């Protein structure tokens, strides 16, 4: 099993902050254009980060459990 000591956490965990920071930085996606499939940028950008966030969590999990 992995060591539960958080002081020995893998540095790749810093990637988990990326989706949080991008969603808190609202001016970066507060726009209507460009439209993708009839969906304004504001919505599809957030949906994209849901998928990217899941991928990042998967990468962090795989790296930590090797």
């Amino acid at each position: 099993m992995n060591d539960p000591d958080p002081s020995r956490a893998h540095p790749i965990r810093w990637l988990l902050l990326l989706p949080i920071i991008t969603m808190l930085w609202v001016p970066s996606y507060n726009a209507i254009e460009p439209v993708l499939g009839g969906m304004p940028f504001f919505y599809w950008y957030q949906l994209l980060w849901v998928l990217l966030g899941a991928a990042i969590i998967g990468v962090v999990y795989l790296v930590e459990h090797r």
Side-chain angles (χ1 to χ4, degrees):
M1 283 298 219
N2 286 339
D3 188 14
D5 183 15
S7 65
R8 298 192 58 199
H10 200 286
I12 198 156
R13 287 188 184 179
W14 287 103
L15 279 178
L16 296 172
L17 290 175
L18 192 57
I20 296 168
I21 292 169
T22 57
M23 289 295 94
L24 290 176
W25 186 32
V26 177
S28 71
Y29 61 92
N30 188 16
I32 295 175
E33 299 291 330
V35 175
L36 180 67
M39 188 182 302
F41 180 71
F42 181 80
Y43 293 114
W44 69 258
Y45 181 80
Q46 291 179 58
L47 181 59
L48 175 67
W49 272 105
V50 169
L51 300 174
L52 289 174
I56 289 171
I57 290 170
V59 168
V60 170
Y61 176 82
L62 290 175
V63 169
E64 286 195 344
H65 288 85
R66 283 191 175 179

